[in-house]
Amino acid sequence: MGLLAIGTPLDWPEAKEKASHVRKWGIEQLLAIWNNAKGKERDALLWGDEIEYLVVNFDDEQKEVKLSLRQADILEALASDPELLKQGGGVPDLARGPAKGGKTAPVFHPEFGRFMLEATPGAPWGIGFKDLLAVEGDMRWRREIAKQHMEANEFPITLTTFPRLGDRKSITPYYPPSGSKLRSQFLPDEIANPHIRFPTLAANIRARRGRKVELNVPVFHDEKTAKPFKDPTVDYDLHNWPEDDDVRNGAAKDDSIYMDAMAFGMGSCCLQITFQAKNIDEGRTMYDQLSPLGPILLALTAATPIYKGFLADTDVRWNQISGAVDDRTPEELGEKPLKNDRWRIPKSRYASNSTYIAQDPRLRSEYLDPDLVVDEEHKARLIEGGMDERLATHFAHLFIRDPIVVFSEDLEELDLNKADHFENLQSTNWQHMRFKPPPVGSDIGWRVEVRPMEIQITDFENAAFSVFVVLITRAILTFNLNFYLPIPRTTENMETAHRRDAVLNDKFHFRKDPLPRRSSSRAATTNGSTSAPPSTTGTPTPSRPSTPFGPVEDEYELMTVNEIINGQDSPGGFPGLIPLVEMYLDSLNVDVETRCELAQYLALIRGRADGSLWTAARWIRHFVRGHAKYEGDSVVNEEVSYDLVKAAERVTIHEARDGFGKEMFGRTRMQRNGVVG
Amino acid sequence: MKLILSTSNIMGAGSSVRRSVGSKSNAEFVSSLRSNLDEHSSPEQTNGITNGNGAATPAKLHYKSWTKQSSDGTELHIPNPDASSSGLEEEREQYDITLKLFYLPGGSTDSASRTSQTREAIELVLKELGVPSVDLLIVSFPGIYFDEQEDCPTKISTRGPVEAEPEGIDSIIESWKAVESLREEGLVNKLGVAEFGAERLAMFLEGTTRRPMVNQINLRDCCSVPRDLLTLAKEKGVELLVHNDCSNILPRGTLRELLGPGPDGAGVLAPSSKAGDKRKSLHGEANKNGTNGEVALSGEVQPQWVVKYTAVVKNRGIVENKGYFACAELEG
């Protein structure tokens, strides 16, 4: 969750007064990093995954499940486990053992929610097949270690959201809602990590907005759901804070589940993957090429059909997080004429990304976002400092935001050997892809983070999606694939991905032909960006003929997720991401065991895409609607919630080998142990 | 005369990728070879348009203008080797270079021929990639198909036309000795075989002093390896790798079509003298349109071998260079 510097955070509006100061220094730090690292070359593929857990507390006698707010105790226990430290694991913020050769134990991190935990591998993964096959076991190991440092009745579950978060009771220990930081009528301030950074983040976002954040998720209208549905949990008579007026001013919309705090979004669990690129150019290419895949990955991993005790009519978490950290003012939102603010801003700081950054001849200006807001002053400074226009535009776009958490101690002297001010803006721009410069003073290279995926219930699924994304990146670079799509289409696709069963029923804009043309000149024998000679200017040498472009609209069409993942049957149709990955694998020396393990992962994704296997969202919705205590009124009551989280625990442990949850896994998982021989 | 065909690097070449994505045959090889021949034999190549733009078949360039014959007249390179080919981008150690050599049905099988075939294939690749040696050479013998234990209906289609009985184990062992001598010369680091079931592998191991490091099997659809093969491979330290190649990668008919006078051919070969009446009636026209009125090579082609090469950047998992060479004898 970014930097955890200790200091005195400024309240809003003091922080606001320091905003341009922080941005200016952030730009200078970025330039220093860029000048230092732009020539970095030939870094290996290293990558890492991040798994986020909800810590739940079961009371099996009362049949109750609550969120456990014991994050700090659990991290403390992890950080003081000598055995874990000896193996190189631990909690980097508290204590960590020395890195060691061989198998390094995983490390754990705090997250925004005090009921959350994040775990990452102790050392980054490489591209070797031994590493790809070790991911799942490592994820399992992480969960076991986490579990060992919890109470017997606690469990680290990987549901994206807790089904009844915000019901004013399902937390332990109990705290009453309506605290001074969040001012939520549903959640206490204690729901957030107590580190000063987190409550400040929540409070300043609210203060900057001028009201609480406002989430209205469409409710799933079941047989007995009232029409219109008016969220029965909203309290219109609360008078503790000025923000309590929000609901009296219409913040809670009809037919919606209403939520009013950052924790409703930032308390969601995601699956994120970060890759190290060979050099800055490859990183920029990866960023661009993975961007159109984001909404597809989101729809495929859909796992969020419940909010605050109600079935939602959407399947994914994305927009809720987006709304939960949306700090835009009424002027920036376009609700009021611009007076004090500098511009209208079309997207939240948590949103699908709005830039392409590669210096790639395939990137047509028509693909760029026509509504992109850029701080021209910062852009000019970056260009003056030597950065090319495209990358300068990207960062000058991120830097239209205010820093939210500003520590007064950091504003005394500009330190160009640090990245704190740059990271302040960079790490609070939560776009679905993130382009990450090398950390100062490290040997780490340019990196790209893939952020759209929802966490899956089992380690098997999380490993499958992680490995799939890794293989896709290799196929992109090997075959020089082109997924460029106008950015507004990706933005639309992100919305489409929210629809219930979008993976089955909806269509997404996607590029028809991702394959490079075979050049008719001898230059065809060189291989685009992957084999372009390292160049000091950072410009890859194109090997394609300058064929005249047709209309952009002819380059893409609406496709189902199944077509995108598994390919179109028609001659010359879209080849499909899985067939491309398989073709990549066919070019390598893969041993039997590895190939069959990878085949399990690919079969899972193939099945999710063609509908033969269910997404977690579909399975959870089905579970609730089929529950004896569900009354057909969209309400996920406490008993259903308990059974659901118990069911998720069962699936986590057995991965459908006992037949339970087989709709999500099918035969692939059940037969798994008998694969080879 | 010996014909040596090449695809050059097919990575980044969209058309060959397109035709072979998800396919279970030799489509990658044949389509990449076809597009490389098209590209060189079509006169429009200089302005960047390779497709025919009218109803009529576009005239092909005379084969002599884009192929290269050795000075003694015994070899014809199709197309002319690319002198500007820069080889690999990074240092040799960065790569894992694998060759798979397919000895084709109907090719010469005696030990001396196999030695020279193998040496020739390796040397062509070394030159193409600009490297002194390769990491792994897998040899594939004609007519041998690995069969999975379980019912695997899609499997049969990956074989390609069966044009040969399985090569006998004695002949395989003799050839292996020839290949082994090249390893001793340092051209190859490791050797492997393809498609050996447990029984054949056991016989093979009995007859050889130098065991293969690798046995490559086609396992795409049904992940079920017979236990006896697993056990034997483990016991003898033979790594089982997976492939998705078709063993009969270049049937005679396919090669004839690729090089022939027809609309999809490169116009290197004249119409077959053994062709039926129907074909004969087209003779004059094809010769005129296909080769600008000049005579193409005549005779029967007999494919000898195909070599596939792959150079992977080890620490990034990127396939930087991949391609094929094929060799055929032109007789008559």
Side-chain angles (χ1 to χ4, degrees), chain B residues 2-290:
Chain B
K2 193 190 295 178
L3 308 179
I4 294 175
L5 296 87
S6 60
T7 62
S8 71
N9 187 4
I10 64 171
M11 291 291 98
S15 54
S16 53
V17 176
R18 182 189 327 280
R19 276 178 238 172
S20 42
V21 166
S23 90
K24 294 180 172 62
S25 67
N26 56 347
E28 176 185 80
F29 168 53
V30 172
S31 72
S32 58
L33 193 52
R34 176 170 286 137
S35 44
N36 203 33
L37 297 181
D38 273 356
E39 184 187 305
H40 286 83
S41 62
S42 303
E44 295 98 325
Q45 62 170 308
T46 44
N47 63 13
I49 302 162
T50 53
N51 58 320
N53 45 11
T57 309
K60 293 278 190 333
L61 294 174
H62 189 274
Y63 79 88
K64 284 193 174 169
S65 69
W66 56 274
T67 59
K68 187 185 179 193
Q69 194 161 353
S70 60
S71 49
D72 61 0
T74 58
E75 280 182 17
L76 182 69
H77 287 263
I78 310 169
N80 195 349
D82 186 356
S84 69
S85 166
S86 52
L88 300 172
E89 292 291 335
E90 297 176 25
E91 298 80 26
R92 172 66 186 87
E93 316 81 77
Q94 296 290 329
Y95 295 91
D96 205 348
I97 301 174
T98 300
L99 266 54
K100 183 171 183 184
L101 180 56
F102 301 82
Y103 301 122
L104 299 175
S108 315
T109 59
D110 61 281
S111 178
S113 298
R114 286 269 163 88
T115 308
S116 63
Q117 288 169 358
T118 310
R119 182 183 299 282
E120 188 169 20
I122 294 174
E123 281 174 353
L124 281 166
V125 175
L126 296 182
K127 189 159 176 243
E128 173 75 15
L129 299 180
V131 293
S133 67
V134 300
D135 298 288
L136 173 63
L137 170 67
I138 292 167
V139 287
S140 165
F141 295 94
I144 294 176
Y145 300 102
F146 171 77
D147 280 308
E148 289 178 57
Q149 232 168 9
E150 288 176 9
D151 181 35
C152 204
T154 53
K155 185 63 173 295
I156 211 82
S157 66
T158 69
R159 290 178 167 184
V162 176
E163 293 187 336
E165 289 297 304
E167 183 161 330
I169 192 73
D170 294 340
S171 168
I172 288 177
I173 290 169
E174 277 309 302
S175 294
W176 184 255
K177 287 177 186 157
V179 174
E180 174 61 32
S181 67
L182 296 173
R183 194 193 62 80
E184 282 165 9
E185 277 179 43
L187 297 179
V188 180
N189 184 26
K190 285 198 300 187
L191 292 175
V193 294
E195 300 288 75
F196 279 20
E199 200 184 334
R200 185 173 278 112
L201 184 60
M203 287 195 297
F204 180 69
L205 289 169
E206 234 163 74
T208 50
T209 45
R210 289 287 195 160
R211 63 183 164 78
M213 305 295 283
V214 162
N215 179 22
Q216 199 191 37
I217 54 181
N218 187 334
L219 199 65
R220 178 147 178 168
D221 292 302
C222 314
C223 266
S224 57
V225 186
R227 184 156 295 282
D228 54 352
L229 177 60
L230 271 184
T231 312
L232 180 64
K234 197 166 184 184
E235 197 177 293
K236 303 290 183 184
V238 179
E239 195 180 12
L240 294 176
L241 298 183
V242 181
H243 74 85
N244 188 38
D245 303 314
C246 147
S247 295
N248 189 5
I249 190 167
L250 186 60
R252 287 169 70 138
T254 306
L255 180 62
R256 215 160 30 221
E257 195 189 309
L258 280 166
L259 294 177
D264 291 337
V268 174
L269 292 180
S272 165
S273 54
K274 288 178 191 166
D277 288 336
K278 200 175 172 189
R279 198 173 266 247
K280 259 181 193 162
S281 72
L282 294 167
H283 187 204
E285 196 189 348
N287 223 3
K288 198 168 122 221
N289 283 349

Side-chain angles (χ1 to χ4, degrees), chain A residues 50-53 139 143 157-162 264-265 267-273 293-307 312 314-322 350 432 450-466 469 494 497-499 501 604-605 608 615-618 620-621:
Chain A
E50 296 166 43
I51 302 284
E52 293 169 350
Y53 310 86
M139 288 177 175
R143 201 188 293 264
I157 203 118
T158 41
L159 290 170
T160 52
T161 54
F162 184 73
F264 282 108
S268 315
C269 298
C270 321
L271 173 63
Q272 290 162 354
I273 318 278
L293 304 187
I296 313 307
L297 293 171
L298 179 60
L300 264 180
T301 54
T304 319
I306 302 174
Y307 275 103
T314 54
D315 267 4
V316 300
R317 76 200 190 286
W318 187 265
N319 278 350
Q320 278 58 261
I321 312 184
S322 178
Y350 189 111
H432 83 272
V450 183
R451 306 169 40 80
M453 291 190 283
E454 309 235 307
I455 201 78
Q456 304 292 291
I457 296 174
T458 63
D459 299 313
F460 165 65
E461 295 161 281
N462 287 314
F465 279 100
S466 302
V469 174
M494 214 67 176
H498 283 70
R499 293 190 198 143
D501 286 330
L604 177 83
I605 289 154
R608 290 280 165 91
T615 61
R618 186 175 175 79
I620 291 170
R621 191 184 301 279

Side-chain angles (χ1 to χ4, degrees), chain A residues 42-46 127-128 277-278 282 473-474 477-481 513-522 524-527 530-534 545 572-573 575-576 579-580 582-593 595-597 599-600 674-677, chain B residues 7-18 20-22 28 32 35-36 39-40 45 47-50 80-82 84 86 89-91 96 98 136 138 216-217 219-220 223-225 227 230 239-244 308 310 312 314-320 322:
Chain A
R42 295 192 184 181
D43 286 317
L45 168 68
L46 294 177
I127 183 59
K278 163 186 162 183
E282 189 186 274
T473 67
R474 299 305 96 186
L477 294 174
T478 286
F479 301 126
N480 204 15
L481 301 177
D513 183 4
L515 301 168
R517 293 151 187 268
R518 182 170 176 117
S519 155
S520 60
S521 72
R522 293 295 180 85
T525 53
T526 64
N527 182 15
T530 60
S531 65
L580 285 165
E582 287 185 325
M583 195 172 156
Y584 164 72
L585 290 173
D586 285 341
S587 298
L588 305 179
N589 293 325
V590 187
D591 65 87
V592 164
E593 192 190 346
R595 190 65 178 84
C596 294
E597 283 287 318
Q600 303 294 312
V675 165
V676 175
Chain B
T7 62
S8 71
N9 187 4
I10 64 171
M11 291 291 98
S15 54
S16 53
V17 176
R18 182 189 327 280
S20 42
V21 166
E28 176 185 80
S32 58
S35 44
N36 203 33
E39 184 187 305
H40 286 83
Q45 62 170 308
N47 63 13
I49 302 162
T50 53
N80 195 349
D82 186 356
S84 69
S86 52
E89 292 291 335
E90 297 176 25
E91 298 80 26
D96 205 348
T98 300
L136 173 63
I138 292 167
Q216 199 191 37
I217 54 181
L219 199 65
R220 178 147 178 168
C223 266
S224 57
V225 186
R227 184 156 295 282
L230 271 184
E239 195 180 12
L240 294 176
L241 298 183
V242 181
H243 74 85
N244 188 38
K308 173 168 93 166
T310 316
V312 179
K314 276 188 274 191
N315 69 357
R316 296 193 298 118
I318 304 294
V319 186
E320 183 183 298
K322 177 179 180 182

